[in-house]
């Protein structure tokens, strides 16, 4: 995060996988305008990454494990990490990109298993455990990641 002598905000991705965010030099990093713009930039970055990574990962895992998926949508959902429709359309939350890889895969498998078992019965959890180690532990681990902190 850097100041510059312009009156606008901007950001630049750099070669070394860092991002420089520039903001007007008359503002401080603690200013609400600066904080909100940073949040917006990161949301845009997560959206861009999610639209590439999440469908590719989901289709890869689906094909490898013989799941039938119709379509994948990426959304900035307020309360769900993912969902599966009766037509096997899967929606994934772009905020998954903020999670560890093991939890991203857990959510993907959670939705993939819903293409076969449409509820959260014992059969569902038994089926999920064929693809994910300790799914109940991972489900519990998800509780510490609140979407309220990610979206607005």
């Amino acid at each position: 995060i850097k100041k510059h002598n312009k009156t606008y905000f901007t950001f630049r991705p750099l070669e070394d996988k860092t991002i420089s965010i520039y903001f007007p030099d008359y503002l401080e990093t603690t200013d609400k305008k600066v904080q909100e713009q940073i949040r917006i930039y990161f949301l845009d970055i997560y959206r861009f990454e999610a639209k590439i990574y999440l469908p590719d990962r989901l289709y890869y895992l689906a094909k490898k494990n013989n799941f039938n998926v119709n379509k994948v949508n990426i959304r900035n959902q307020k309360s769900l990490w993912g969902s599966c429709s009766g037509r096997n359309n899967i929606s994934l939350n772009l905020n998954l990109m903020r999670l560890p890889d093991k939890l991203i895969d857990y959510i993907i498998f959670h939705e993939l298993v819903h293409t076969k078992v449409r509820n959260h019965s014992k059969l569902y959890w038994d089926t999920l455990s064929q693809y994910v180690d300790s799914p109940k532990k991972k489900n519990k681990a998800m509780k510490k990641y609140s979407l309220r902190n990610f979206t607005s």
Side-chain angles (χ1 to χ4, degrees), residues 66-70 84-90 109-118 124:
N66 298 314
F67 287 99
N68 185 12
V69 175
N70 183 32
C84 178
S85 76
R87 294 184 176 172
N88 292 353
N89 295 324
I90 294 179
F109 274 118
H110 185 103
E111 301 311 328
L112 287 172
V113 170
H114 278 308
T115 66
K116 296 181 178 181
V117 183
R118 302 283 179 191
Y124 170 84

Side-chain angles (χ1 to χ4, degrees), residues 61-75:
L61 293 173
K63 183 176 181 180
K64 181 179 176 184
N65 295 282
N66 298 314
F67 287 99
N68 185 12
V69 175
N70 183 32
K71 175 168 94 167
V72 179
N73 293 304
I74 306 301
R75 296 193 170 113

Side-chain angles (χ1 to χ4, degrees), residues 88-104:
N88 292 353
N89 295 324
I90 294 179
S91 288
L92 296 173
N93 194 318
L94 68 89
N95 289 291
L96 286 169
M97 298 306 294
R98 301 177 188 209
L99 302 181
D101 289 344
K102 285 182 181 182
L103 291 179
I104 293 172

Side-chain angles (χ1 to χ4, degrees), residues 81 103 106 136-147 149:
W81 290 105
L103 291 179
Y106 163 72
K136 294 259 185 174
K137 276 186 175 178
K138 287 186 174 62
N139 190 53
K140 189 175 180 180
M142 288 300 298
K143 305 288 185 208
K144 71 179 178 181
Y145 296 97
S146 168
L147 279 169
N149 298 332

Side-chain angles (χ1 to χ4, degrees), residues 6 10 16 63 69 83 143:
K6 313 280 194 275
T10 189
D16 62 356
K63 183 176 181 180
V69 175
S83 62
K143 305 288 185 208

Side-chain angles (χ1 to χ4, degrees), residues 7 24-26 28 30 36 44 59 67 72 86 91 107 110 136 139 147:
T7 59
D25 60 7
Y26 60 86
E28 296 299 323
T30 56
E36 178 61 13
D44 288 345
Y59 285 124
F67 287 99
V72 179
S91 288
I107 294 296
H110 185 103
K136 294 259 185 174
N139 190 53
L147 279 169

